[in-house]
């Protein structure tokens, strides 16, 4: 069925009241975007911290209503609830119905990373007659699907590591793509950490789809406690919120948190453990190289498009 979309351009401080008014008037969904998107004033907002909701100075709210909604009546009702709202701040348009998940799945094609690692959407059957290592994802749950340069950099790095029988921590696991890929590449067990509970749900779902759920433990950052433990704990032990430092460490988040969490990451990696971090824009790597040199050796930088991966070994 078609929909009626109402777009409102407002200031960030007006957002809570406007969203409340739209909800009261029966909006089926409300999305936010930068009103200056695709202009020189566009501002990028990446993954926020826990409890944070950063917004652009000027916002466009897009609200969906049933196609039969009376536009004039809706405008009058908004005028009563939001007396300061001007007519030129409101824009209506008809939106055709679309199967959004199908549209995404049509765009999400098998992708190769390194020598043998492949990421496949769940709706496409991979070949069974070669030595490819295949991770299958549900695009509807994929916070990370391999399409972003930072994810690609991390997947290629994993493909180049000897992970056989090793433990790995994936900090900022998102869809679980890196932790699951590590298990498919031979890791004995992995831990995924993310500050978004929905990401942990997505990771668990994708682990089930790849038949590796019993070897992947998932934690919010505040729930993971690192302490000394046997070099190769049994997978069942990972269900307890205490874990030993990993033999391989990877984190794909952002430069700011990467800098802040460097001591935590050092504690999470065993001596000699290979590590990789990404989510770094070109120009941000020098500060991180200096920061990580306190705990890690053999540091190197690899790039893809405007993004950087730093890798090395725990001292």
């Amino acid at each position: 069925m078609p929909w009626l979309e109402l777009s409102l351009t407002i200031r960030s401080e007006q957002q809570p009241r406007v969203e409340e008014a739209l909800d009261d008037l029966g909006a089926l969904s409300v999305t936010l975007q930068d009103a200056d998107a695709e202009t020189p004033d566009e501002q990028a907002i990446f993954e926020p911290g826990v409890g944070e909701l950063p917004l652009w100075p000027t916002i466009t709210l897009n609200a969906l209503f049933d196609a039969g909604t009376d536009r004039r009546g809706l405008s009058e009702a908004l005028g009563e609830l939001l007396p300061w709202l001007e007519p030129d701040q409101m824009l209506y348009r008809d939106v055709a119905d679309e199967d959004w998940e199908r549209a995404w799945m049509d765009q999400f094609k098998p992708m190769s990373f390194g020598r043998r690692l492949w990421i496949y959407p769940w709706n496409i059957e991979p070949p069974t007659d070669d030595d490819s290592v295949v991770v299958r994802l549900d695009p509807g749950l994929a916070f990370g699907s391999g399409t972003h340069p930072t994810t690609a950099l991390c997947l290629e790095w994993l493909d180049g590591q000897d992970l056989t029988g090793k433990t790995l921590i994936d900090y900022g696991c998102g869809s679980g793509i890196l932790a699951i890929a590590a298990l498919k590449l031979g890791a004995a067990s992995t831990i995924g950490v993310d500050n978004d509970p929905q990401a942990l749900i997505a990771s668990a779902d994708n682990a089930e789809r790849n038949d590796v759920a019993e070897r992947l433990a998932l934690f919010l950052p505040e729930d993971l406690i690192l302490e000394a433990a046997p070099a190769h704990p049994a997978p069942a032990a990972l269900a307890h919120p205490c874990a030993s430092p990993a033999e391989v460490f990877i984190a794909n988040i952002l430069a700011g948190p990467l800098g802040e969490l460097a001591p935590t990451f050092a504690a999470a990696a065993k001596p000699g453990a290979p590590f990789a971090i990404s989510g770094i824009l070109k120009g941000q790597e020098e500060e991180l190289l200096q920061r990580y040199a306190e705990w890690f050796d053999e540091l190197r930088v690899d790039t893809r498009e405007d993004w950087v991966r730093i890798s090395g070994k725990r001292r």
Side-chain angles (χ1 to χ4, degrees), residues 251-270:
N252 183 23
I253 45 177
L254 293 171
L258 287 173
E260 295 171 6
L261 292 168
T264 300
F265 294 172
K270 286 186 176 182

Side-chain angles (χ1 to χ4, degrees), residues 157-178:
W157 182 83
L158 284 173
D159 182 75
Q161 302 300 309
D162 179 8
L163 301 177
T164 305
K166 294 182 178 179
T167 59
L168 174 141
I169 291 178
D170 171 13
Y171 207 100
C173 58
S175 67
I177 185 172
L178 300 180

Side-chain angles (χ1 to χ4, degrees), residues 83-166:
W84 47 265
L85 194 64
E86 299 292 338
D88 61 0
Q89 292 177 264
M90 296 185 280
L91 177 65
Y92 290 98
R93 75 182 183 101
D94 295 317
V95 178
D97 188 24
E98 184 172 359
D99 184 342
W100 296 108
E101 183 175 351
R102 175 57 54 188
W104 169 238
M105 292 177 80
D106 288 344
Q107 297 175 31
F108 183 26
K109 305 298 183 185
M111 294 172 287
S112 174
F113 301 94
R115 183 179 61 84
R116 57 194 175 120
L117 181 60
W118 285 81
I119 306 300
Y120 266 72
W122 192 250
N123 62 319
I124 298 179
E125 287 295 325
T128 58
D129 57 352
D130 58 26
D131 63 350
S132 297
V133 175
V134 175
V135 175
R136 303 185 69 182
L137 293 182
D138 177 357
L141 292 174
F143 296 85
S145 60
T147 57
H148 194 276
T150 62
T151 310
L153 284 165
C154 290
L155 289 168
E156 290 172 352
W157 182 83
L158 284 173
D159 182 75
Q161 302 300 309
D162 179 8
L163 301 177
T164 305
K166 294 182 178 179

Side-chain angles (χ1 to χ4, degrees), residues 8-27:
L8 299 171
T9 302
I10 60 171
R11 299 191 307 274
S12 60
E13 62 268 22
Q14 297 170 327
Q15 175 265 332
R17 182 67 190 96
V18 174
E19 195 162 341
E20 180 183 358
L22 291 168
D23 185 61
D24 290 343
L25 294 173

